[in-house]
Amino acid sequence: MELQQLRYFLAVASEKNITRAAEHLRLSQPALSRQIHQLEDSLGGPLFERSQGGVTLTERGYYLAEHAKEMVRLADKISANLNTATPVSGELYIGGGETRTLTSVITTFKQMKQLHPDVKLRLYSGNGDDVIDKLDRGILDFGVVIEPVNLAAYASRELPHVDRWGVLTRRDSQIGNRTHLETADLLDLPLILSEQSLVDRHLSDRLGVDLGEAEVVATYNLLYNASLLVHAGIGHALCLDGIINTNGTELVFVPLNPSLTSSVHLIWKNESHLSNVASTFLDMFDEREKTT
């Protein structure tokens, strides 16, 4: 199994048609078909179901596609960071959950870009579990994660600001004109909660209420889609402040009382060898935090 064969395979999987994939790759159709057959032979079975309308992935093909994307992405990352024309160039891979505290990381990259214009940022958005998974597999250089998170396996820096918890709701809802929301009131509302594995248990402990007893009408991974549910009047989203811009909209953020905040951390793998671009970013981040 060769890296180039995986690129060919992913092109066919994306186009769902060998002819279109060959045109995209600027290969002849017979040459591309031959590469796919060789890959299938090396892996011991068909990766595609063929029909007159095109191709669809088999179960084996779905499994390969999931992992091939990460293999190609990691290979591209290594290549970009080794084949550099200047001392500090290449690509910086950062993953982050939804938090406006990410702006301190973005500001550092902006300063870095001004000094080293050949660097590029690959920013991945996902919840904490997704970010840590990609960090562990070497796809990301850094993760920006919101507590709760087990930091024992990672080097980390705590970011300078904290995030505030509350409820995103419609302005015309029964709580839309409140200045704050008592934590006990959460159990009386139809809630939209984060899907992230640790968050609800963590919040229950800190809130002093069991969110397992709440009426949960929906869950979310990223807040934008949850805001659409809120806008439709389906429920109220328990979330962090500042992620959804509510200015001039029908939505409003109501903070919790007593106030509940979460710290945010920049993390990377313990004892990992950072690329030149990642090491430079970390040095600049530390220097910036000393002066702010």
Side-chain angles (χ1 to χ4, degrees):
M1 182 172 59
E2 299 177 357
L3 185 62
Q4 190 60 53
Q5 286 180 322
L6 293 181
R7 295 185 191 276
Y8 292 157
F9 163 76
L10 290 173
V12 176
S14 176
E15 294 290 343
K16 298 180 175 60
N17 184 283
I18 292 180
T19 300
R20 288 198 301 269
E23 292 173 353
H24 175 74
L25 295 167
R26 297 184 180 179
L27 289 175
S28 68
Q29 181 176 336
L32 179 56
S33 295
R34 184 165 57 251
Q35 290 291 330
I36 296 299
H37 282 301
Q38 289 176 1
L39 181 61
E40 289 177 322
D41 289 342
S42 69
L43 295 178
L47 300 171
F48 295 101
E49 295 283 353
R50 277 84 170 172
S51 68
Q52 289 185 345
V55 296
T56 57
L57 290 168
T58 63
E59 287 298 320
R60 182 187 297 267
Y62 277 114
Y63 178 82
L64 177 62
E66 177 181 354
H67 294 282
K69 290 176 184 177
E70 295 182 354
M71 294 168 67
V72 169
R73 190 179 298 121
L74 182 57
D76 288 342
K77 173 187 172 185
I78 293 171
S79 177
N81 288 331
L82 291 179
N83 297 320
T84 57
T86 60
V88 181
S89 61
E91 297 180 339
L92 180 67
Y93 287 71
I94 299 178
E98 292 184 297
T99 167
R100 60 181 175 181
T101 308
L102 188 64
T103 55
S104 62
V105 172
I106 293 172
T107 300
T108 301
F109 175 77
K110 179 181 178 180
Q111 295 172 343
M112 183 180 179
K113 181 74 172 174
Q114 291 170 342
L115 293 175
H116 308 288
D118 289 336
V119 300
K120 296 179 181 179
L121 176 63
R122 295 292 187 93
L123 185 61
Y124 169 82
S125 297
N127 65 31
D129 291 340
D130 294 335
V131 169
I132 288 176
D133 178 64
K134 285 180 169 52
L135 186 67
D136 288 343
R137 285 186 279 172
I139 296 171
L140 299 176
D141 296 309
F142 299 100
V144 177
V145 293
I146 306 160
E147 67 171 338
V149 61
N150 183 1
L151 297 176
Y154 305 97
S156 66
R157 299 284 190 274
E158 184 170 345
L159 299 186
H161 304 288
V162 296
D163 282 332
R164 179 176 61 163
W165 286 92
V167 170
L168 184 69
T169 187
R170 288 183 59 93
R171 294 182 187 274
D172 58 3
S173 74
Q174 69 267 39
I175 61 171
N177 62 352
R178 302 270 290 272
T179 58
H180 61 268
L181 184 69
E182 301 297 329
T183 55
D185 293 338
L186 293 172
L187 299 183
D188 298 324
L189 299 172
L191 293 181
I192 303 169
L193 299 183
S194 166
E195 190 74 50
Q196 189 171 333
S197 60
L198 293 178
V199 169
D200 291 347
R201 292 194 299 272
H202 171 76
L203 287 180
S204 291
D205 292 341
R206 296 184 65 191
L207 290 170
V209 297
D210 185 1
L211 291 175
E213 297 179 0
E215 179 190 359
V216 180
V217 295
T219 60
Y220 67 91
N221 287 325
L222 296 176
L223 187 57
Y224 176 75
N225 287 341
S227 73
L228 300 180
L229 297 174
V230 175
H231 187 273
I234 293 173
H236 315 271
L238 185 62
C239 62
L240 298 174
D241 191 11
I243 299 172
I244 300 297
N245 183 2
T246 60
N247 292 332
T249 74
E250 296 179 357
L251 303 182
V252 64
F253 179 85
V254 181
L256 293 176
N257 184 51
S259 179
L260 180 64
T261 60
S262 291
S263 60
V264 184
H265 300 264
L266 177 73
I267 65 173
W268 63 99
K269 292 176 68 174
N270 258 333
E271 301 179 358
S272 64
H273 182 75
L274 295 176
S275 67
N276 192 21
V277 65
S279 179
T280 301
F281 170 83
L282 184 59
D283 289 342
M284 292 188 67
F285 179 85
D286 287 341
E287 186 62 30
R288 179 177 178 276
E289 292 306 306
K290 289 179 184 177
T291 59
T292 56

